[in-house]
Amino acid sequence: MKNILFVASEGVPFIKTGGLADVVGSLPKEIDKNYYDVRVFLPKYSCIRQEMKDRMEYITSFYMDFDWKSMYVGILKAEANGVIYYFIDNEELFNTYKPYTDDALFEIKRFSFFSKAVLSALPTIGFRPDLIHCHDWQTGLVPVYLKERFQENEFYRGIKTVMTIHNLRFQGKWNVRDVENITGLSGYYFTPDKLEAYKDANLLKGGIVYADAITTVSPTYAEEIKTQYYGEGLDGILNARAHDLRGILNGIDYDEFNPETDRRIPHPYNASNFRKEKIRNKIELQKELGLRQDEKCFMIGIVSRLTDQKGFDLIAYVMEEMLSLDAIQVVVLGTGEERYENMFRYFDEKYSDKLAANIYYSEDMSHKIYAASDAFLMPSLFEPCGLSQLMALRYGTVPIVRETGGLKDTVSPYNEFEQTGTGFTFSNYNAHEMMHAVRYAERIFYDKKRDWNHIVDRDMAADFSWKVSAGKYQLMYDWLIG
Ligand code: ADP
Ligand code: GLC
């Protein structure tokens, strides 16, 4: 049996802000249980739902030197979907009403603490990992601390590490002096070949430099981040480690996202009855959101963090035009940057029967939108993988996406002549190109209903479960552990 430990800042069903949580919640249970024991470490945020907190049991606690203090580390444990989760408890650092705050220094502090606490906790929980799989900048110091101090101890010797980049934009940066002080790492670590980047300390870079292997969540993004355009300043180090960098496509949980058994949607459906049943979901959603009830309209769904990553500048640019086309309805669910929240609120006021802005977070509403919409719009500026388009495909909702990162790897462009493809795509980050793709999709939807339905057939038949990708992770684990 090989022991694998995931360390991450969020995971379903405990806490989620985006796709990272979906991956951390679904990948471990897809790894072959006959050969691997996969467990997960998360922070115990006070904003975790009470119902989930009630499932945690206290294991142990100790004090750890950190930031020139002796700090409390509590360890709790819970089981979910057959996977064991551990939680690091510290009131001072994880008592926030959202998982992440806007205070960059505080974020550095709490996740450096988390990384060190996870390593410190290992001997007390009766689980020695052969490999620690780290996710995003919040866990970038795990490989660093392991090398710097823990590996001196017999218990830790030989533990391998993987650093998975879910989003290169977030790196955990702050000035070197403060980070040295907080982390207790010596000046030796803060040079440009190690944790320093552009004069700042950079926690993700630490993970990239010290991990045994680096992965990202789609093959195309793995290539893109080696270029200056997508490299977010780290393309140099990523090129230097190109031999150890690979892209493994994300999957989604096919039990949780299953239109046939989904209790969150009013009219469950499958590949043979979607023609009728998707329309019933559409009408139901129009009723619920106060949109004009019209089964024929072309409904475009958006479920997303509202950030510039997701292409909202393009959407803002042509929203008026899109809504002035008679037949289009837009349903959006998301929270994030105020400028985008307000943009959607504005259009909701102006075109109340055509656009519904749902500026909040809701699993229930997200499933209803995936089920009811005809198309799903995701014109990202960059996209490491993207799970929303996979959910859309699963629900027979045709993606309209920009050809970047994981979107490019998962949505194939519709070809009218060969009758192939699963969605509508465009290549340049340009609002008119996006609009062209929307118009093209709309035309097929209205004028060639049979062709449209065949696209839906292909979408629902596509397989983006974890099966293939979990196998790729296993191969990598085996290769590293030996
Ligand atoms: P990212 O991780 O960059 O946000 P992904 O496409 O990988 O993008 O994953 C987004 C996940 O978050 C999906 O599961 C999507 O359904 C969900 N999501 C995003 N915004 C909301 C929201 N407002 N309410 C419910 N779910 C949301
Ligand atoms: C990140 C990326 C997204 C990816 C998700 C899970 O949040 O933005 O593209 O799907 O992580 O890996």
Side-chain angles (χ1 to χ4, degrees):
M1 189 64 79
K2 289 172 180 161
N3 290 344
I4 311 289
L5 182 69
F6 275 46
V7 187
S9 56
E10 53 181 279
V12 169
F14 296 96
I15 189 91
K16 166 169 168 178
T17 71
L20 169 62
D22 290 309
V23 173
V24 170
S26 54
L27 175 56
K29 60 178 177 163
E30 302 293 337
I31 304 265
D32 192 339
K33 290 195 174 47
N34 295 314
Y35 300 98
Y36 305 87
D37 184 347
V38 185
R39 305 189 185 184
V40 184
F41 254 101
L42 298 172
K44 182 179 172 278
Y45 303 104
S46 55
C47 53
I48 292 176
R49 272 179 299 136
Q50 190 57 42
E51 167 201 350
M52 298 316 285
K53 281 193 210 155
D54 290 343
R55 286 164 65 168
M56 299 176 189
E57 60 168 309
Y58 170 86
I59 303 281
T60 185
S61 63
F62 54 88
Y63 280 80
M64 178 180 88
D65 289 341
F66 185 80
D67 196 16
W68 300 100
K69 290 188 286 247
S70 176
M71 297 197 36
Y72 174 84
V73 182
I75 313 291
L76 293 93
K77 183 178 175 185
E79 203 186 305
N81 304 316
V83 175
I84 294 178
Y85 289 78
Y86 299 98
F87 299 85
I88 297 287
D89 184 23
N90 179 288
E91 276 288 306
E92 195 184 313
L93 294 174
F94 299 118
N95 185 11
T96 48
Y97 82 100
K98 285 192 304 192
Y100 310 123
T101 72
D102 295 328
D103 180 345
L105 177 58
F106 181 60
E107 294 297 288
I108 298 271
K109 214 178 257 187
R110 60 212 294 247
F111 291 112
S112 302
F113 171 86
F114 175 62
S115 300
K116 190 174 176 192
V118 167
L119 288 169
S120 305
L122 293 181
T124 70
I125 59 169
F127 181 77
R128 183 197 175 273
D130 297 297
L131 183 147
I132 305 181
H133 191 156
C134 308
H135 298 268
D136 274 354
W137 78 263
Q138 289 89 349
T139 58
L141 284 191
V142 170
V144 181
Y145 275 132
L146 188 63
K147 190 63 127 234
E148 182 248 4
R149 63 187 70 186
F150 288 89
Q151 269 190 356
E152 282 168 19
N153 178 322
E154 183 78 37
F155 176 88
Y156 296 90
R157 208 160 297 149
I159 295 180
K160 301 289 185 207
T161 51
V162 172
M163 183 79 232
T164 292
I165 302 166
H166 294 264
N167 195 333
L168 192 60
R169 174 159 290 181
F170 304 109
Q171 300 177 0
K173 296 187 264 195
W174 196 257
N175 75 61
V176 170
R177 218 184 47 176
D178 286 347
V179 176
E180 250 186 73
N181 253 319
I182 293 166
T183 59
L185 292 165
S186 73
Y188 168 83
Y189 286 91
F190 298 93
T191 54
D193 58 329
K194 304 190 193 77
L195 269 68
E196 188 196 308
Y198 308 97
K199 304 263 182 279
D200 273 337
N202 185 312
L203 270 51
L204 179 65
K205 189 175 177 199
I208 295 173
V209 170
Y210 283 97
D212 295 296
I214 304 145
T215 72
T216 186
V217 285
S218 70
T220 292
Y221 194 61
E223 291 306 313
E224 287 173 343
I225 56 179
K226 288 185 277 184
T227 66
Q228 203 178 8
Y229 183 78
Y230 288 101
E232 306 281 350
L234 293 184
D235 41 304
I237 182 69
L238 289 164
N239 274 297
R241 295 222 56 192
H243 280 303
D244 303 307
L245 166 67
R246 75 197 75 195
I248 302 178
L249 203 61
N250 284 334
I252 55 170
D253 186 329
Y254 264 40
D255 298 326
E256 199 191 329
F257 294 93
N258 181 352
E260 200 163 13
T261 54
D262 194 336
R263 297 226 184 97
R264 300 178 199 260
I265 63 176
H267 304 287
Y269 57 94
N270 57 33
S272 36
N273 64 10
F274 74 84
R275 286 169 189 75
K276 277 208 181 101
E277 298 303 314
K278 261 184 92 67
I279 291 177
R280 294 176 71 197
N281 284 299
K282 175 152 81 179
I283 296 284
E284 207 71 52
L285 191 63
Q286 288 169 334
K287 253 190 244 169
E288 181 176 345
L289 300 178
L291 293 165
R292 183 160 43 86
Q293 284 172 47
D294 172 5
E295 61 177 56
K296 290 213 171 66
C297 86
F298 184 51
M299 184 186 275
I300 299 179
I302 297 173
V303 178
S304 181
R305 289 183 296 118
L306 303 180
T307 72
D308 67 331
Q309 173 191 341
K310 302 293 178 178
F312 287 106
D313 290 333
L314 301 190
I315 295 176
Y317 199 75
V318 293
M319 200 72 224
E320 188 84 47
E321 182 184 342
M322 215 187 277
L323 293 172
S324 63
L325 298 178
D326 258 342
I328 289 188
Q329 278 184 353
V330 176
V331 178
V332 52
L333 171 66
T335 59
E337 287 174 38
E338 221 171 297
R339 55 184 168 144
Y340 301 129
E341 294 188 346
N342 289 338
M343 184 257 296
F344 285 117
R345 287 191 185 108
Y346 167 81
F347 284 115
D348 190 333
E349 285 259 305
K350 186 163 175 194
Y351 295 97
S352 58
D353 59 338
K354 287 181 141 192
L355 183 137
N358 304 284
I359 309 300
Y360 52 81
Y361 185 92
S362 158
E363 303 281 340
D364 284 349
M365 183 50 77
S366 72
H367 286 235
K368 287 182 197 169
I369 295 174
Y370 289 125
S373 307
D374 298 297
F376 189 83
L377 183 58
M378 199 163 167
S380 305
L381 174 62
F382 67 95
E383 198 59 75
C385 179
L387 301 175
S388 299
Q389 83 281 11
L390 303 182
M391 293 159 189
L393 287 168
R394 175 84 165 137
Y395 282 74
T397 301
V398 178
I400 304 174
V401 304
R402 189 167 96 82
E403 292 156 14
T404 185
L407 296 172
K408 191 170 175 184
D409 293 336
T410 56
V411 180
S412 56
Y414 173 58
N415 183 321
E416 206 171 330
F417 308 102
E418 293 173 10
Q419 288 301 319
T420 53
T422 54
F424 293 81
T425 71
F426 63 101
S427 127
N428 294 303
Y429 192 71
N430 173 303
H432 299 293
E433 274 196 32
M434 179 189 80
M435 201 54 214
H436 182 75
V438 171
R439 284 248 165 84
Y440 182 27
E442 198 197 7
R443 185 162 64 73
I444 301 296
F445 178 79
Y446 280 116
D447 299 348
K448 304 198 165 177
K449 206 37 168 263
R450 274 193 55 202
D451 290 354
W452 179 270
N453 283 335
H454 284 140
I455 304 178
V456 177
D457 286 335
R458 290 193 288 277
D459 288 1
M460 295 187 78
D463 185 357
F464 289 104
S465 66
W466 272 109
K467 247 181 289 155
V468 175
S469 296
K472 290 189 179 163
Y473 279 110
Q474 287 170 198
L475 278 176
M476 178 181 65
Y477 295 154
D478 289 349
W479 175 71
L480 287 168
I481 296 168

mmCIF file of all heavy atoms in Angstrom, residues 217-245:
data_model
loop_
_atom_site.group_PDB
_atom_site.id
_atom_site.type_symbol
_atom_site.label_atom_id
_atom_site.label_comp_id
_atom_site.label_asym_id
_atom_site.label_seq_id
_atom_site.Cartn_x
_atom_site.Cartn_y
_atom_site.Cartn_z
ATOM 1 N N VAL A 217 -3.131 21.437 -14.464
ATOM 2 C CA VAL A 217 -4.374 20.684 -14.593
ATOM 3 C C VAL A 217 -4.887 20.511 -16.026
ATOM 4 O O VAL A 217 -6.017 20.057 -16.215
ATOM 5 C CB VAL A 217 -5.451 21.296 -13.663
ATOM 6 C CG1 VAL A 217 -5.153 20.907 -12.222
ATOM 7 C CG2 VAL A 217 -5.525 22.808 -13.801
ATOM 8 N N SER A 218 -4.054 20.846 -17.006
ATOM 9 C CA SER A 218 -4.362 20.461 -18.386
ATOM 10 C C SER A 218 -3.067 20.486 -19.200
ATOM 11 O O SER A 218 -2.150 21.244 -18.887
ATOM 12 C CB SER A 218 -5.390 21.409 -19.023
ATOM 13 O OG SER A 218 -4.810 22.679 -19.250
ATOM 14 N N PRO A 219 -2.971 19.671 -20.230
ATOM 15 C CA PRO A 219 -1.756 19.659 -21.055
ATOM 16 C C PRO A 219 -1.492 21.012 -21.721
ATOM 17 O O PRO A 219 -0.340 21.466 -21.772
ATOM 18 C CB PRO A 219 -2.054 18.590 -22.104
ATOM 19 C CG PRO A 219 -3.070 17.695 -21.473
ATOM 20 C CD PRO A 219 -3.905 18.590 -20.599
ATOM 21 N N THR A 220 -2.527 21.668 -22.215
ATOM 22 C CA THR A 220 -2.283 22.945 -22.892
ATOM 23 C C THR A 220 -1.761 24.005 -21.922
ATOM 24 O O THR A 220 -0.823 24.743 -22.226
ATOM 25 C CB THR A 220 -3.564 23.442 -23.603
ATOM 26 O OG1 THR A 220 -3.837 22.549 -24.692
ATOM 27 C CG2 THR A 220 -3.385 24.837 -24.175
ATOM 28 N N TYR A 221 -2.334 24.071 -20.727
ATOM 29 C CA TYR A 221 -1.847 25.055 -19.753
ATOM 30 C C TYR A 221 -0.398 24.757 -19.367
ATOM 31 O O TYR A 221 0.395 25.673 -19.150
ATOM 32 C CB TYR A 221 -2.754 25.068 -18.519
ATOM 33 C CG TYR A 221 -2.559 26.249 -17.585
ATOM 34 C CD1 TYR A 221 -2.763 27.558 -18.027
ATOM 35 C CD2 TYR A 221 -2.188 26.065 -16.251
ATOM 36 C CE1 TYR A 221 -2.599 28.643 -17.171
ATOM 37 C CE2 TYR A 221 -2.030 27.139 -15.384
ATOM 38 C CZ TYR A 221 -2.234 28.423 -15.845
ATOM 39 O OH TYR A 221 -2.084 29.497 -14.992
ATOM 40 N N ALA A 222 -0.027 23.465 -19.334
ATOM 41 C CA ALA A 222 1.354 23.098 -19.009
ATOM 42 C C ALA A 222 2.316 23.685 -20.037
ATOM 43 O O ALA A 222 3.429 24.088 -19.712
ATOM 44 C CB ALA A 222 1.502 21.579 -18.943
ATOM 45 N N GLU A 223 1.876 23.757 -21.282
ATOM 46 C CA GLU A 223 2.706 24.387 -22.318
ATOM 47 C C GLU A 223 2.645 25.910 -22.212
ATOM 48 O O GLU A 223 3.661 26.589 -22.277
ATOM 49 C CB GLU A 223 2.239 23.951 -23.720
ATOM 50 C CG GLU A 223 2.505 22.488 -24.035
ATOM 51 C CD GLU A 223 3.966 22.112 -23.828
ATOM 52 O OE1 GLU A 223 4.840 22.857 -24.296
ATOM 53 O OE2 GLU A 223 4.231 21.074 -23.176
ATOM 54 N N GLU A 224 1.437 26.425 -22.038
ATOM 55 C CA GLU A 224 1.263 27.883 -22.011
ATOM 56 C C GLU A 224 2.092 28.566 -20.925
ATOM 57 O O GLU A 224 2.677 29.625 -21.145
ATOM 58 C CB GLU A 224 -0.225 28.224 -21.791
ATOM 59 C CG GLU A 224 -1.095 27.969 -23.014
ATOM 60 C CD GLU A 224 -2.587 28.149 -22.732
ATOM 61 O OE1 GLU A 224 -2.996 28.147 -21.551
ATOM 62 O OE2 GLU A 224 -3.353 28.285 -23.695
ATOM 63 N N ILE A 225 2.141 27.945 -19.737
ATOM 64 C CA ILE A 225 2.822 28.638 -18.625
ATOM 65 C C ILE A 225 4.337 28.714 -18.805
ATOM 66 O O ILE A 225 5.015 29.393 -18.055
ATOM 67 C CB ILE A 225 2.486 28.016 -17.250
ATOM 68 C CG1 ILE A 225 2.822 26.529 -17.205
ATOM 69 C CG2 ILE A 225 1.019 28.266 -16.907
ATOM 70 C CD1 ILE A 225 2.517 25.882 -15.846
ATOM 71 N N LYS A 226 4.845 28.064 -19.825
ATOM 72 C CA LYS A 226 6.267 28.214 -20.117
ATOM 73 C C LYS A 226 6.526 29.422 -21.012
ATOM 74 O O LYS A 226 7.660 29.705 -21.358
ATOM 75 C CB LYS A 226 6.792 26.923 -20.766
ATOM 76 C CG LYS A 226 6.888 25.778 -19.747
ATOM 77 C CD LYS A 226 7.514 24.538 -20.325
ATOM 78 C CE LYS A 226 6.511 23.716 -21.079
ATOM 79 N NZ LYS A 226 7.042 22.450 -21.583
ATOM 80 N N THR A 227 5.456 30.125 -21.387
ATOM 81 C CA THR A 227 5.638 31.329 -22.199
ATOM 82 C C THR A 227 5.462 32.568 -21.319
ATOM 83 O O THR A 227 4.837 32.510 -20.258
ATOM 84 C CB THR A 227 4.583 31.413 -23.322
ATOM 85 O OG1 THR A 227 3.291 31.599 -22.721
ATOM 86 C CG2 THR A 227 4.561 30.145 -24.164
ATOM 87 N N GLN A 228 6.002 33.657 -21.814
ATOM 88 C CA GLN A 228 5.937 34.888 -21.032
ATOM 89 C C GLN A 228 4.491 35.355 -20.852
ATOM 90 O O GLN A 228 4.112 35.853 -19.802
ATOM 91 C CB GLN A 228 6.743 35.964 -21.748
ATOM 92 C CG GLN A 228 7.193 37.044 -20.824
ATOM 93 C CD GLN A 228 8.029 38.088 -21.542
ATOM 94 O OE1 GLN A 228 8.156 38.081 -22.767
ATOM 95 N NE2 GLN A 228 8.586 39.005 -20.789
ATOM 96 N N TYR A 229 3.672 35.148 -21.864
ATOM 97 C CA TYR A 229 2.290 35.653 -21.834
ATOM 98 C C TYR A 229 1.485 35.013 -20.708
ATOM 99 O O TYR A 229 0.721 35.671 -20.014
ATOM 100 C CB TYR A 229 1.620 35.408 -23.195
ATOM 101 C CG TYR A 229 0.222 35.969 -23.277
ATOM 102 C CD1 TYR A 229 0.012 37.338 -23.479
ATOM 103 C CD2 TYR A 229 -0.885 35.143 -23.141
ATOM 104 C CE1 TYR A 229 -1.274 37.852 -23.546
ATOM 105 C CE2 TYR A 229 -2.174 35.646 -23.212
ATOM 106 C CZ TYR A 229 -2.366 37.009 -23.416
ATOM 107 O OH TYR A 229 -3.631 37.523 -23.471
ATOM 108 N N TYR A 230 1.669 33.719 -20.533
ATOM 109 C CA TYR A 230 0.888 33.002 -19.510
ATOM 110 C C TYR A 230 1.700 32.694 -18.249
ATOM 111 O O TYR A 230 1.162 32.180 -17.279
ATOM 112 C CB TYR A 230 0.370 31.679 -20.070
ATOM 113 C CG TYR A 230 -0.740 31.810 -21.081
ATOM 114 C CD1 TYR A 230 -0.498 31.694 -22.450
ATOM 115 C CD2 TYR A 230 -2.058 32.031 -20.664
ATOM 116 C CE1 TYR A 230 -1.535 31.801 -23.374
ATOM 117 C CE2 TYR A 230 -3.091 32.135 -21.584
ATOM 118 C CZ TYR A 230 -2.820 32.016 -22.933
ATOM 119 O OH TYR A 230 -3.847 32.108 -23.856
ATOM 120 N N GLY A 231 2.997 32.999 -18.295
ATOM 121 C CA GLY A 231 3.892 32.517 -17.239
ATOM 122 C C GLY A 231 3.837 33.283 -15.930
ATOM 123 O O GLY A 231 4.436 32.855 -14.939
ATOM 124 N N GLU A 232 3.131 34.399 -15.900
ATOM 125 C CA GLU A 232 2.958 35.181 -14.660
ATOM 126 C C GLU A 232 4.295 35.426 -13.965
ATOM 127 O O GLU A 232 4.389 35.430 -12.736
ATOM 128 C CB GLU A 232 2.005 34.469 -13.676
ATOM 129 C CG GLU A 232 0.637 34.099 -14.245
ATOM 130 C CD GLU A 232 -0.338 35.284 -14.301
ATOM 131 O OE1 GLU A 232 -0.028 36.356 -13.719
ATOM 132 O OE2 GLU A 232 -1.400 35.149 -14.939
ATOM 133 N N GLY A 233 5.341 35.606 -14.778
ATOM 134 C CA GLY A 233 6.651 35.906 -14.202
ATOM 135 C C GLY A 233 7.433 34.664 -13.781
ATOM 136 O O GLY A 233 8.593 34.758 -13.402
ATOM 137 N N LEU A 234 6.809 33.502 -13.817
ATOM 138 C CA LEU A 234 7.519 32.289 -13.388
ATOM 139 C C LEU A 234 7.870 31.368 -14.559
ATOM 140 O O LEU A 234 8.267 30.222 -14.358
ATOM 141 C CB LEU A 234 6.686 31.526 -12.346
ATOM 142 C CG LEU A 234 6.490 32.232 -10.993
ATOM 143 C CD1 LEU A 234 5.735 31.332 -10.016
ATOM 144 C CD2 LEU A 234 7.833 32.630 -10.377
ATOM 145 N N ASP A 235 7.737 31.876 -15.788
ATOM 146 C CA ASP A 235 8.037 31.026 -16.944
ATOM 147 C C ASP A 235 9.500 30.585 -16.940
ATOM 148 O O ASP A 235 9.814 29.479 -17.396
ATOM 149 C CB ASP A 235 7.664 31.718 -18.261
ATOM 150 C CG ASP A 235 8.035 33.193 -18.282
ATOM 151 O OD1 ASP A 235 7.579 33.923 -17.374
ATOM 152 O OD2 ASP A 235 8.787 33.623 -19.179
ATOM 153 N N GLY A 236 10.381 31.400 -16.384
ATOM 154 C CA GLY A 236 11.806 31.037 -16.327
ATOM 155 C C GLY A 236 12.002 29.750 -15.548
ATOM 156 O O GLY A 236 12.559 28.768 -16.057
ATOM 157 N N ILE A 237 11.516 29.729 -14.324
ATOM 158 C CA ILE A 237 11.715 28.544 -13.478
ATOM 159 C C ILE A 237 10.927 27.351 -14.033
ATOM 160 O O ILE A 237 11.356 26.201 -13.942
ATOM 161 C CB ILE A 237 11.361 28.839 -11.996
ATOM 162 C CG1 ILE A 237 11.605 27.620 -11.105
ATOM 163 C CG2 ILE A 237 9.920 29.259 -11.815
ATOM 164 C CD1 ILE A 237 13.037 27.286 -10.932
ATOM 165 N N LEU A 238 9.773 27.635 -14.641
ATOM 166 C CA LEU A 238 8.982 26.528 -15.203
ATOM 167 C C LEU A 238 9.699 25.902 -16.405
ATOM 168 O O LEU A 238 9.661 24.687 -16.598
ATOM 169 C CB LEU A 238 7.578 27.003 -15.573
ATOM 170 C CG LEU A 238 6.711 27.282 -14.340
ATOM 171 C CD1 LEU A 238 5.488 28.116 -14.695
ATOM 172 C CD2 LEU A 238 6.279 25.974 -13.671
ATOM 173 N N ASN A 239 10.379 26.728 -17.166
ATOM 174 C CA ASN A 239 11.181 26.186 -18.262
ATOM 175 C C ASN A 239 12.363 25.396 -17.722
ATOM 176 O O ASN A 239 12.707 24.326 -18.242
ATOM 177 C CB ASN A 239 11.671 27.305 -19.182
ATOM 178 C CG ASN A 239 10.629 27.635 -20.226
ATOM 179 O OD1 ASN A 239 10.293 26.791 -21.059
ATOM 180 N ND2 ASN A 239 10.084 28.835 -20.186
ATOM 181 N N ALA A 240 12.959 25.937 -16.666
ATOM 182 C CA ALA A 240 14.106 25.241 -16.077
ATOM 183 C C ALA A 240 13.693 23.856 -15.586
ATOM 184 O O ALA A 240 14.470 22.918 -15.613
ATOM 185 C CB ALA A 240 14.687 26.067 -14.932
ATOM 186 N N ARG A 241 12.454 23.730 -15.138
ATOM 187 C CA ARG A 241 11.994 22.438 -14.617
ATOM 188 C C ARG A 241 11.066 21.710 -15.591
ATOM 189 O O ARG A 241 10.280 20.836 -15.192
ATOM 190 C CB ARG A 241 11.298 22.651 -13.273
ATOM 191 C CG ARG A 241 12.239 23.178 -12.177
ATOM 192 C CD ARG A 241 12.018 22.497 -10.855
ATOM 193 N NE ARG A 241 12.132 21.047 -10.916
ATOM 194 C CZ ARG A 241 11.746 20.236 -9.936
ATOM 195 N NH1 ARG A 241 11.220 20.733 -8.845
ATOM 196 N NH2 ARG A 241 11.864 18.925 -10.056
ATOM 197 N N ALA A 242 11.145 22.077 -16.854
ATOM 198 C CA ALA A 242 10.211 21.532 -17.847
ATOM 199 C C ALA A 242 10.174 19.996 -17.868
ATOM 200 O O ALA A 242 9.139 19.400 -18.127
ATOM 201 C CB ALA A 242 10.555 22.065 -19.227
ATOM 202 N N HIS A 243 11.305 19.364 -17.553
ATOM 203 C CA HIS A 243 11.346 17.894 -17.566
ATOM 204 C C HIS A 243 10.469 17.277 -16.491
ATOM 205 O O HIS A 243 10.043 16.138 -16.593
ATOM 206 C CB HIS A 243 12.772 17.396 -17.370
ATOM 207 C CG HIS A 243 13.561 17.471 -18.631
ATOM 208 N ND1 HIS A 243 13.159 16.835 -19.774
ATOM 209 C CD2 HIS A 243 14.707 18.123 -18.924
ATOM 210 C CE1 HIS A 243 14.030 17.086 -20.736
ATOM 211 N NE2 HIS A 243 14.970 17.872 -20.251
ATOM 212 N N ASP A 244 10.269 18.036 -15.444
ATOM 213 C CA ASP A 244 9.494 17.507 -14.307
ATOM 214 C C ASP A 244 8.078 18.081 -14.291
ATOM 215 O O ASP A 244 7.360 17.952 -13.308
ATOM 216 C CB ASP A 244 10.192 17.870 -12.993
ATOM 217 C CG ASP A 244 11.610 17.353 -12.965
ATOM 218 O OD1 ASP A 244 11.786 16.147 -13.199
ATOM 219 O OD2 ASP A 244 12.535 18.163 -12.745
ATOM 220 N N LEU A 245 7.696 18.770 -15.350
ATOM 221 C CA LEU A 245 6.386 19.432 -15.396
ATOM 222 C C LEU A 245 5.487 18.732 -16.402
ATOM 223 O O LEU A 245 5.881 18.494 -17.538
ATOM 224 C CB LEU A 245 6.576 20.900 -15.820
ATOM 225 C CG LEU A 245 5.333 21.686 -16.251
ATOM 226 C CD1 LEU A 245 4.391 21.901 -15.060
ATOM 227 C CD2 LEU A 245 5.727 23.041 -16.844
#
